[in-house]
Amino acid sequence: MAGTAAEDLVHDHEVLSGILSEYERVFAEGNLPEAATLLDYFWARLALHIRAEHHVLFPRIYEKAAVSSSPPLKEVEAVFSTLRKDHDLFMAALAEAVTTLKALAQAPREPARKEILGRIAKYVESVKGRLDSHNILEEGKVYLWLDLGRRPEERAEVAGAIRKELENFPPRFREQLPKLEFERKHA
């Protein structure tokens, strides 16, 4: 990553999509310990992305909209409300899926295994289905708002702040990063 803030965020969407695809492949193969690790990693990466949007992207756009008419403040507020609801849904569904999958991976003889696997798949599918339209809204509208009326040095500062948030991995993944080869394939 080293582009504009919008380019970095779009690239992160692509990486997240690759991680989710890899999770689905491993989950379908029945490798629950690896699937649990991948889903936990996807959840953590998505949390980084959401944090970058909440701490950097949204405030910068909101500040601009509050002092100019481009983009319109009411539209910004409505779109951000929708995106925040999506973010809450993603985090809650993934928390449940990760917790359930980790527990199941530790108890391979669970009598209700098939039912639990179905529930996990349903949680992840709810995130995946909503993520597609969510990303279209962000990429087609919100990310375009970021550069409106900003000088090049302001754009660079915002891009740096976004990058810093996206690269602030939780400690449990910092040592694992070189092992997560699938991510490099999607970079």
Side-chain angles (χ1 to χ4, degrees):
M1 282 190 286
T4 67
E7 290 168 342
D8 288 348
L9 289 165
V10 169
H11 176 261
D12 206 50
H13 283 171
E14 294 165 359
V15 170
L16 285 162
S17 178
I19 296 166
L20 190 56
S21 293
E22 182 69 6
Y23 156 78
E24 290 176 319
R25 183 188 65 74
V26 170
F27 183 79
E29 290 172 356
N31 184 342
L32 298 188
E34 187 177 347
T37 298
L38 287 167
L39 190 59
D40 188 28
Y41 184 61
F42 174 76
W43 182 35
R45 282 295 307 263
L46 185 58
L48 293 176
H49 186 91
I50 290 169
R51 186 176 63 206
E53 290 177 348
H54 285 240
H55 290 196
V56 181
L57 182 73
F58 291 0
R60 302 297 167 82
I61 292 171
Y62 187 82
E63 288 167 5
K64 200 63 149 173
V67 297
S68 74
S69 61
S70 184
L73 185 57
K74 287 204 181 290
E75 183 179 3
V76 168
E77 290 170 339
V79 169
F80 287 179
S81 176
T82 297
L83 295 178
R84 283 187 178 103
K85 287 176 188 168
D86 286 352
H87 292 164
D88 291 346
L89 171 105
F90 298 154
M91 291 295 100
L94 289 169
E96 187 65 33
V98 167
T99 301
T100 305
L101 186 54
K102 283 182 176 182
L104 189 60
Q106 297 297 319
R109 298 185 200 279
E110 168 64 47
R113 183 179 179 85
K114 189 173 183 174
E115 177 187 319
I116 295 168
L117 288 171
R119 210 169 56 228
I120 293 166
K122 186 176 171 183
Y123 288 133
V124 174
E125 195 55 42
S126 73
V127 169
K128 187 177 179 185
R130 187 75 169 258
L131 204 51
D132 291 337
S133 60
H134 180 91
N135 289 350
I136 289 169
L137 177 59
E138 287 182 342
E139 293 174 15
K141 184 173 279 200
V142 177
Y143 296 170
L144 302 177
W145 287 341
L146 189 57
D147 290 340
L148 289 176
R150 294 191 194 280
R151 297 185 314 273
E153 58 274 11
E154 288 177 297
R155 291 184 195 144
E157 185 274 322
V158 171
I162 294 277
R163 223 169 282 117
K164 182 178 178 183
E165 293 291 345
L166 293 176
E167 294 170 355
N168 189 15
F169 286 91
R172 71 183 187 276
F173 290 112
R174 287 190 189 128
E175 289 182 19
Q176 264 185 299
L177 289 177
K179 297 176 191 169
L180 299 172
E181 302 265 339
F182 59 90
E183 185 173 7
R184 284 196 285 276
K185 291 178 195 173
H186 300 285

